[in-house]
Amino acid sequence: MPDYIKLSELVENIQEAIQNRFEGEVFWVSARAMNVKKYEINRRCYLTLEEYENGNKTVEIKSVFWSNYYGEIEKFEKQIKQPFSNGTEIICKVKVRFHKVYGLNIDVMQIDVAHTLGVLELERQRTLERLLKENPTTIQLFDGFYQTHNNRLALPLIIENIALITAPNSDGQRDFQQEIKRNKHQYNFEITEFLTTIQGDNAHVLILEQLKLIEKSKINFDAVAIVRGGGSLTDFKPFDDYELAKYVANFHIPIFTGIGHDRNQSIVDLMAREQKTPTKVASLFVDHNFEFENNLIELKTNFFDIIREKLLYARDNLNNANRIIKMASPQKILNRGFAIIIYKDKIITDPKDIKEASELQTLLKNETIHSIVTKKSRNEKRIDI
């Protein structure tokens, strides 16, 4: 029979070796949280910390947040605005622990929240720089604002046909539809829904597919609305995708986004026309049409005011012309002491028409004088009357 020892002796040796090596030491490690199981009542969280290379898992170790460290999870969720769940990439402070029954574990003591925030912002800035570099004719940065082919498109006078990209049975879908259908002006809109997943690792691909379907549609859409409710920073990650942002920036129909709250702004927001929430996007469409109606009413009012002014002006001119005509009437002329000479039943206006021996009639105010011309001479002295 070979020499042997009890399992407990081996385990004690392992425990002693681990304690001698790691007792009192802590380490900061980068890893991916998986198999996350939170127990809020007991304030514990069991998980595995894993590492991947080229998509393949290379390391895995059981880990735990004990009750005295559970607050780190709550702080993380509050600052990152996302749940601590499977797939979360973190840098955390840990210590090594070995238990005779439960084996080797890592106790997680702290999460570097700033690192997670920094990684997200760094990725975002790299994407923005790439968009500017690779699309210089359609995406420019002026005074801190991104001007794109899409957000420079002129809006139609009236917005009627709207393509709505949203998640089915979602708060965003409901809020948008309620706001636009119950508008106080009772405007009618044609809403065509393009339903898809709005969040998740593959959401950017699915949203891009919906935009391509809109392009292929035979409907002449006036605008596109992409809406969803608020969420965590990682929920907005699909809207920071380069390909989706580029497609939005170059899209031929004006795109309006309502995919977050005031504290959130994605790259897609910057490439389109950001309105923050689904309700605000719907309100903008209503207000746009109301402004057109107001302009139309103002134009109508101004038109009739101009016509009224022109009619009054024409009436005054007509009255003036009428007075002039009356002042120039033969009777008015006779009343002022002038005379009218008639020859062969025609009023003489040119003295050349009068010959010597011509029989004339001279009309005065109250009498007619009949006469025969005995002599004609020029008015050399130009007697003025």
Side-chain angles (χ1 to χ4, degrees):
M1 177 181 293
D3 293 336
Y4 67 91
I5 60 173
K6 290 184 177 180
L7 176 62
S8 58
E9 292 182 54
L10 176 60
V11 171
E12 285 175 358
N13 288 333
I14 295 173
Q15 184 179 42
E16 183 178 355
I18 291 175
Q19 286 178 344
N20 289 338
R21 171 61 183 85
F22 295 105
E23 184 71 28
E25 291 195 60
V26 295
F27 304 88
W28 285 96
V29 298
S30 62
R32 180 182 300 176
M34 298 297 293
N35 303 310
V36 176
K37 296 179 181 178
K38 292 184 288 186
Y39 299 92
E40 295 184 6
I41 296 178
N42 297 327
R43 296 185 64 77
R44 292 181 184 178
C45 177
Y46 298 97
L47 68 156
T48 57
L49 292 179
E50 302 179 4
E51 187 173 307
Y52 290 78
E53 185 175 344
N54 298 324
N56 299 316
K57 182 165 59 176
T58 56
V59 180
E60 175 184 330
I61 189 168
K62 291 188 294 182
S63 307
V64 61
F65 286 86
W66 297 107
S67 58
N68 51 332
Y69 299 126
Y70 191 83
E72 286 294 309
I73 293 177
E74 296 171 328
K75 183 173 72 172
F76 177 90
E77 293 180 335
K78 182 178 180 180
Q79 294 188 23
I80 300 296
K81 304 296 188 301
Q82 71 170 31
F84 184 77
S85 57
N86 292 339
T88 303
E89 300 285 347
I90 60 173
I91 287 182
C92 55
K93 184 167 73 172
V94 300
K95 63 181 178 180
V96 179
R97 179 177 54 83
F98 184 85
H99 191 277
K100 293 180 180 180
V101 175
Y102 302 111
L104 182 66
N105 277 278
I106 283 183
D107 293 348
V108 185
M109 307 166 63
Q110 186 178 346
I111 302 175
D112 185 359
V113 178
H115 167 77
T116 304
L117 288 171
V119 168
L120 293 174
E121 183 59 27
L122 181 60
E123 291 179 359
R124 171 186 166 89
Q125 289 304 318
R126 285 175 177 169
T127 300
L128 286 170
E129 290 171 3
R130 183 183 172 193
L131 285 166
L132 290 171
K133 182 179 180 180
E134 298 183 8
N135 305 274
T137 61
T138 56
I139 305 175
Q140 294 99 30
L141 180 62
F142 295 107
D143 296 329
F145 295 95
Y146 289 87
Q147 295 187 9
T148 69
H149 168 75
N150 187 267
N151 62 29
R152 285 195 295 254
L153 289 173
L155 297 180
L157 294 177
I158 299 176
I159 295 176
E160 293 181 291
N161 289 318
I162 301 170
L164 175 63
I165 299 177
T166 189
N169 304 315
S170 64
D171 291 341
Q173 178 193 34
R174 184 189 65 251
D175 293 346
F176 179 89
Q177 290 282 15
Q178 287 183 353
E179 181 71 17
I180 204 163
K181 288 180 178 179
R182 298 177 183 178
N183 71 86
K184 62 182 178 181
H185 306 294
Q186 298 182 337
Y187 297 144
N188 292 320
F189 295 87
E190 291 293 330
I191 312 296
T192 304
E193 291 186 332
F194 292 81
L195 303 178
T196 185
T197 299
I198 295 293
Q199 63 187 55
D201 293 339
N202 201 42
H204 59 284
V205 176
L206 300 177
I207 297 170
L208 190 58
E209 289 177 356
Q210 298 307 310
L211 287 173
K212 292 179 179 179
L213 287 176
I214 292 171
E215 278 191 314
K216 295 177 182 178
S217 172
K218 296 181 179 180
I219 302 174
N220 293 321
F221 291 110
D222 299 314
V224 177
I226 305 176
V227 303
R228 55 149 290 161
S232 68
L233 288 178
T234 53
D235 286 340
F236 286 92
K237 193 172 181 180
F239 296 98
D240 288 337
D241 177 73
Y242 173 83
E243 293 299 335
L244 177 58
K246 176 184 174 181
Y247 208 82
V248 167
N250 292 280
F251 205 66
H252 69 286
I253 304 172
I255 296 177
F256 294 81
T257 60
I259 58 178
H261 297 298
D262 290 339
R263 66 179 182 270
N264 305 123
Q265 187 178 48
S266 70
I267 294 178
V268 167
D269 287 324
L270 298 175
M271 299 297 108
R273 291 171 166 89
E274 180 191 19
Q275 296 300 313
K276 293 299 184 185
T277 66
T279 300
K280 288 183 178 180
V281 176
S283 296
L284 181 140
F285 293 150
V286 174
D287 292 343
H288 176 82
N289 289 358
F290 180 65
E291 182 179 358
F292 172 77
E293 184 181 10
N294 272 346
N295 290 340
L296 199 61
I297 292 172
E298 184 178 356
L299 183 63
K300 177 182 175 183
T301 302
N302 292 340
F303 173 77
F304 283 109
D305 286 344
I306 292 172
I307 294 299
R308 191 178 297 107
E309 289 178 5
K310 288 187 176 295
L311 287 175
L312 290 174
Y313 181 75
R315 186 185 67 181
D316 291 341
N317 286 343
L318 187 61
N319 290 336
N320 290 333
N322 190 41
R323 284 194 296 269
I324 292 171
I325 291 171
K326 286 182 179 180
M327 291 296 294
S329 68
Q331 189 58 49
K332 291 290 184 182
I333 292 173
L334 294 176
N335 289 342
R336 293 201 299 273
F338 292 95
I340 297 175
I341 298 175
I342 297 176
Y343 175 63
K344 292 183 179 182
D345 298 327
K346 292 183 179 181
I347 295 175
I348 298 301
T349 60
D350 188 349
K352 294 180 180 178
D353 295 336
I354 300 175
K355 309 296 181 182
E356 291 184 1
S358 299
E359 295 184 5
L360 305 178
Q361 295 177 357
T362 303
L363 299 181
L364 301 173
K365 178 180 180 182
N366 295 318
E367 292 185 0
T368 301
I369 298 175
H370 299 268
S371 60
I372 297 174
V373 177
T374 60
K375 184 180 178 180
K376 288 175 61 177
S377 61
R378 293 180 63 81
N379 184 9
E380 299 290 349
K381 296 182 179 180
R382 303 296 300 174
I383 299 174
D384 296 326
I385 300 175

